[in-house]
Amino acid sequence: MSARLRLVADRTAAGAPPPPAADPLREEPGPGAARCLGLYAKLAAGVTVVTARGEDGPLGMTVSAVTSLSARPPLLLACLRDGSRTLAAVRAHRAFAVHLLREEQQDLAARFASPTTTAAERFAGTGTRHVLGVPVLAGALAWSVCLTEDVRRYGDHHLVVGRVAAVHVGGGRPLLWHDRRFGSLSEPVPDAAG
């Protein structure tokens, strides 16, 4: 018996768990990034802006991967790009805001998505106020301020789970993102304030 097999046999006999089995899914090379991005482009999503308090003022970025996670307790999940200043602020200050944009806010979404636009330029003229110490943009379809519950890295993004601490819901139609462009609903949406 080889030394390695003898070591595994000794560990198993001593009650130690056996070494993990190979995961065939992780060993597969899978499709390339371009093919995956093509798939992801077909996912329709509401367009949101996530904001946080930075050391030198408010920070924010456009995010299309935001979803409800739980009603009890009230939790939201947002996917933020690794290395972003907004993600660093969310981690440092443990709070952030999620803004669901209206269909007429395409320019705002593009401004917060631009890598060459400074934080000051992103927030210029937005009518920002602070709720629970977090910058909140005026005019969004809806917004929530969340306290950071958990942050975990997966690939080139981090999953950020936030507990909803404040919320506002207005009326109007959402801005959508599909197939790498903005869109809107074709059917009327009833106004609902809350």
Side-chain angles (χ1 to χ4, degrees):
M1 182 184 313
S2 75
R4 184 166 192 263
L5 289 176
R6 193 169 33 252
L7 179 60
V8 170
D10 290 346
R11 282 186 184 163
T12 304
D23 182 353
L25 291 178
R26 290 202 183 267
E27 294 173 7
E28 290 294 319
R35 289 188 55 102
C36 286
L37 290 173
L39 168 71
Y40 302 160
K42 298 301 180 185
L43 295 169
V47 180
T48 63
V49 167
V50 172
T51 59
R53 179 172 54 103
E55 293 302 322
D56 299 323
L59 295 169
M61 63 190 293
T62 300
V63 176
S64 62
V66 172
T67 191
S68 58
L69 182 59
S70 170
R72 291 184 184 210
L75 300 173
L76 284 178
L77 176 101
C79 298
L80 303 183
R81 187 182 67 252
D82 185 44
S84 75
R85 293 182 344 144
T86 304
L87 174 62
V90 167
R91 291 186 117 151
H93 296 287
R94 308 295 298 167
F96 60 98
V98 174
H99 307 81
L100 284 65
L101 299 187
R102 296 176 188 275
E103 66 181 350
E104 60 270 13
Q105 293 180 305
Q106 291 183 23
D107 290 342
L108 184 67
R111 187 181 347 156
F112 273 83
S114 170
T116 59
T117 305
T118 67
E121 291 168 337
R122 289 178 179 188
F123 284 89
T126 60
T128 304
R129 66 186 175 112
H130 285 79
V131 176
L132 301 175
V134 178
V136 172
L137 306 174
L141 175 63
W143 57 260
S144 65
V145 173
C146 300
L147 305 178
T148 305
E149 289 271 317
D150 194 16
V151 179
R152 292 179 191 256
R153 182 177 181 166
Y154 289 92
D156 57 5
H157 279 66
H158 284 72
L159 298 183
V160 179
V161 176
R163 181 183 293 257
V164 177
V167 67
H168 169 78
V169 178
R173 297 162 60 96
L175 178 61
L176 302 178
W177 182 252
H178 177 257
D179 218 5
R180 298 182 178 99
R181 62 180 167 257
F182 294 117
S184 60
L185 296 174
S186 60
E187 296 181 14
V189 175
D191 283 345

